[in-house]
Amino acid sequence: MYRTTVFLLIFLVSAGVFAQDIKGSIEWDKLRFNAEVSLDLASAGLRLPSGRTQAESLLRDAYIKLINKHLFELQVDSSSTIGDLVNRGELSTDDAENIAQGANSIAPALSSDLRKISASHTISLANISSALLRHSRPTPVIRTLNPVSTARYTGIIIIANEKLPIHGMRSTTLPVPCLFPKIWDSDMNIIYEKSMLETRNAVMANYFSPVNIFHSSPSGLSPELQQITGERPLRIFAQGVFGIKPTDFIIDRGDALLIISSEDNRRLLSQGKVVFIMDESVLRYSFPDQ
């Protein structure tokens, strides 16, 4: 049996001793993994105020026991989740627990009827990305022997908010977010992937809904998006998706040449100045399924 399965079973069985539950959400547009863990005081045999300290201790333990199932389901790239990385030995269970322990937490609070105590936690997806980047030297961005004349852009926006053709298949689908999406050109040359990032502190992918490119500002961009891409970004419409999960984008070869023909524009990739515009329905989801 896979180590992940054993790991989760141990935690889930032990978590069932008391009435504990977890709910939360993934917000790709805000790069946040939110979780709220609750403990039923009566089922734990605790009474207030004497049992408050023990309740908070149980709540901290419950968070680690319950969060892993959902953390392990987080999509890393087109073929892997965090759980897959653990199964393959690319990430240890201790590493995964350290990610969970790195959450920003709000002090536990009692429900209005004093029957439950709950605590909220937020894990930065940017911090998870940084923890999973292991290369010490970036891979150079692909160049071309036949560069084209191109402007100097301040960022790159890939517009992919509608259903797109799936490479090699006769169907379409909405792209979905992941920590490390790839960009391919229409000749299936790799244009952007995680090893090209210059620093572990750079976020490879920033996701926004379409409303952020239709603002009344001179650039048409929301302040949050413009902070990443600057005022003169290159806007590109994705031509298709690729991968086991539809997380990777295919762009026209001509658009790719506008990026790779210039050292300044290639640097936009290595610095992570890339934004993906996606349908709002895929940018946020709740767990358990609601």
Side-chain angles (χ1 to χ4, degrees):
M1 185 179 292
Y2 287 121
R3 283 175 290 171
T4 303
T5 305
V6 174
F7 179 67
L8 289 177
L9 284 175
I10 292 172
F11 274 149
L12 291 175
V13 168
S14 61
V17 175
F18 306 123
Q20 303 162 339
D21 63 77
I22 186 171
K23 62 181 180 179
S25 63
I26 311 296
E27 298 177 291
W28 286 101
D29 53 341
K30 297 184 183 300
L31 295 178
R32 295 193 307 215
F33 185 116
N34 308 303
E36 181 182 274
V37 179
S38 299
L39 170 70
D40 185 277
L41 295 171
S43 71
L46 299 175
R47 300 183 65 178
L48 298 175
S50 58
R52 176 69 183 255
T53 299
Q54 186 178 354
E56 292 184 0
S57 177
L58 289 172
L59 203 58
R60 286 192 294 270
D61 291 341
Y63 164 68
I64 296 299
K65 294 170 185 175
L66 297 174
I67 193 64
N68 280 285
K69 175 183 183 297
H70 306 286
L71 181 61
F72 279 29
E73 293 172 349
L74 188 69
Q75 200 70 37
V76 175
D77 54 35
S78 66
S79 62
S80 302
T81 63
I82 287 183
D84 294 327
L85 299 185
V86 174
N87 283 336
R88 297 198 297 260
E90 298 174 26
L91 187 73
S92 70
T93 52
D94 286 342
D95 290 334
E97 185 168 320
N98 287 337
I99 289 173
Q101 293 280 21
N104 291 322
S105 302
I106 297 176
L110 293 166
S111 62
S112 57
D113 59 9
L114 303 182
R115 293 182 178 180
K116 287 186 176 183
I117 187 170
S118 303
S120 298
H121 309 268
T122 298
I123 304 173
S124 165
L125 296 184
N127 290 347
I128 298 178
S129 172
S130 178
L132 297 180
L133 287 173
R134 302 295 174 85
H135 63 272
S136 58
R137 181 175 299 178
T139 301
V141 177
I142 189 174
R143 296 169 180 256
T144 176
L145 296 176
N146 300 298
V148 300
S149 177
T150 180
R152 181 178 180 180
Y153 297 102
T154 57
I156 299 168
I157 298 176
I158 307 295
I159 302 172
N161 61 302
E162 297 182 352
K163 287 186 176 182
L164 295 170
I166 303 172
H167 182 73
M169 301 180 68
R170 296 181 179 178
S171 58
T172 61
T173 189
L174 281 175
V176 296
C178 72
L179 292 175
F180 303 126
K182 295 177 181 176
I183 299 176
W184 306 77
D185 70 13
S186 49
D187 293 336
M188 297 312 292
N189 299 304
I190 187 69
I191 302 300
Y192 187 44
E193 57 102 11
K194 68 178 182 180
S195 69
M196 296 176 182
L197 289 175
E198 290 180 352
T199 171
R200 290 175 58 181
N201 295 325
V203 176
M204 183 179 181
N206 293 276
Y207 298 100
F208 287 84
S209 62
V211 68
N212 289 276
I213 57 173
F214 295 110
H215 269 236
S216 58
S217 62
S219 66
L221 309 176
S222 68
E224 295 80 9
L225 193 157
Q226 187 172 310
Q227 186 175 2
I228 299 167
T229 63
E231 295 182 353
R232 302 182 310 282
L234 172 62
R235 293 171 169 87
I236 297 173
F237 283 92
Q239 303 295 304
V241 291
F242 182 58
I244 297 174
K245 293 286 186 180
T247 62
D248 298 349
F249 302 85
I250 301 172
I251 63 174
D252 185 78
R253 176 63 179 173
D255 290 327
L257 286 173
L258 295 177
I259 301 172
I260 65 175
S261 293
S262 158
E263 182 178 352
D264 288 332
N265 292 343
R266 289 192 297 271
R267 192 176 295 116
L268 299 176
L269 297 176
S270 60
Q271 293 178 346
K273 294 185 179 296
V274 182
V275 161
F276 298 94
I277 303 299
M278 301 177 70
D279 188 82
E280 193 163 359
S281 66
V282 303
L283 292 179
R284 302 182 184 190
Y285 67 88
S286 300
F287 60 84
D289 294 338
Q290 295 179 354

